[in-house]
Amino acid sequence: MDEHLDRSPARHPGMNMWSQSKVFSVQIGPAAQPCVLTLLGELDHDSAVQLQEAADHVLADGSRSVLVVDCAALEFCDSSGIGCLVRLYQRLSARGGVLRLAAVPAPVARVLALTGLDRAIPIHAELQEALGADSPAPVAGGEDAPSSLRTVSWR
């Protein structure tokens, strides 16, 4: 059963909408494991709080160990959006969970590669691939791995 979190006038069958602006929204998928957050629009300084609030709601009870972020409809992501993804990664990693990204557009994938996040957060070509993945997140600590992700502070 889906959790009821509709903050917008638009309804999407089978999904709840977490939205406060016209340029960005987060859809929370059905209450299943793993949970899917679908990003639509531009993830930036003004909208990163929406992703954080949706993730806070989904992760509040501590029962979810895997969170998949579907980026297929993500049009843009700035440093604030990257910071939000890092915080989600840290939060899940701290309790043995996994954050997976799916269908990341090329411009966003480039930013993830430049920051090294692509070596810490599993990125899958398609949503179904991310949902079916059974491998854990890459282990930080290798020479190329961003081992400082667990302690970095994004403000």
Side-chain angles (χ1 to χ4, degrees), residues 3 14 17 35 53 78 83 93 106 126 131 135 143:
E3 299 173 41
M17 182 70 80
C35 182
E53 289 175 353
D78 72 3
S93 293
E126 302 290 331
L131 290 171
S135 60
E143 184 176 316

Side-chain angles (χ1 to χ4, degrees), residues 67-80:
L67 183 62
V68 175
V69 178
D70 181 1
C71 301
L74 184 63
E75 297 169 5
F76 173 80
C77 182
D78 72 3
S79 62
S80 297

Side-chain angles (χ1 to χ4, degrees), residues 30-36 58-59 62-68 98 100 131:
Q33 180 74 306
C35 182
V36 178
V58 167
L59 300 174
S63 67
R64 297 186 194 271
S65 62
V66 178
L67 183 62
V68 175
V98 177
R100 297 180 190 143
L131 290 171

Side-chain angles (χ1 to χ4, degrees), residues 1 3 8 16 19 29 31 40 50 66-67 83 96-97 101-104 119 124 127 136 150:
M1 174 185 251
E3 299 173 41
S8 73
N16 293 308
S19 177
L40 303 151
Q50 292 172 246
V66 178
L67 183 62
L101 303 180
V104 178
R119 294 186 306 264
H124 300 273
L127 177 60
R150 291 198 173 136

Side-chain angles (χ1 to χ4, degrees), residues 75-154:
E75 297 169 5
F76 173 80
C77 182
D78 72 3
S79 62
S80 297
I82 295 296
C84 189
L85 292 173
V86 167
R87 286 187 297 278
L88 287 175
Y89 167 83
Q90 291 170 330
R91 184 173 180 183
L92 284 161
S93 293
R95 62 184 197 198
V98 177
L99 174 64
R100 297 180 190 143
L101 303 180
V104 178
V108 177
R110 183 170 189 273
V111 172
L112 294 172
L114 289 171
T115 60
L117 288 177
D118 63 334
R119 294 186 306 264
I121 302 172
I123 300 174
H124 300 273
E126 302 290 331
L127 177 60
Q128 290 306 316
E129 179 184 318
L131 290 171
D134 57 359
S135 60
V139 177
E143 184 176 316
D144 293 331
S147 59
S148 63
L149 283 180
R150 291 198 173 136
T151 58
V152 71
S153 175
W154 294 78

